């Protein structure tokens, strides 16, 4: 198992994309909540 399996690369890419989406959504939700609070 010296070669990096495509599944591992796909998993890492999926985690990065998911983290980016979650962070973006959290930022929008925080801003929206702040605006709604006012």
């Amino acid at each position: 198992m010296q070669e990096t399996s495509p599944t591992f690369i796909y998993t890492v890419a999926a985690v990065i994309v998911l983290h980016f989406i979650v962070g973006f959504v959290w930022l929008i939700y925080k801003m929206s909540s702040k605006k709604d609070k006012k």
Side-chain angles (χ1 to χ4, degrees):
M1 276 209 235
Q2 288 183 343
E3 279 187 9
T4 50
S5 59
T7 307
F8 179 75
I9 297 172
Y10 187 78
T11 303
V12 173
V15 171
I16 294 171
V17 174
L18 195 75
H19 183 266
F20 193 89
I21 293 172
V22 170
F24 195 72
V25 172
W26 183 77
L27 187 69
I28 294 173
Y29 180 77
K30 194 174 181 181
M31 286 178 68
S32 181
S33 182
K34 203 172 191 182
K35 190 183 282 184
D36 188 31
K37 197 172 183 182
K38 187 182 177 186

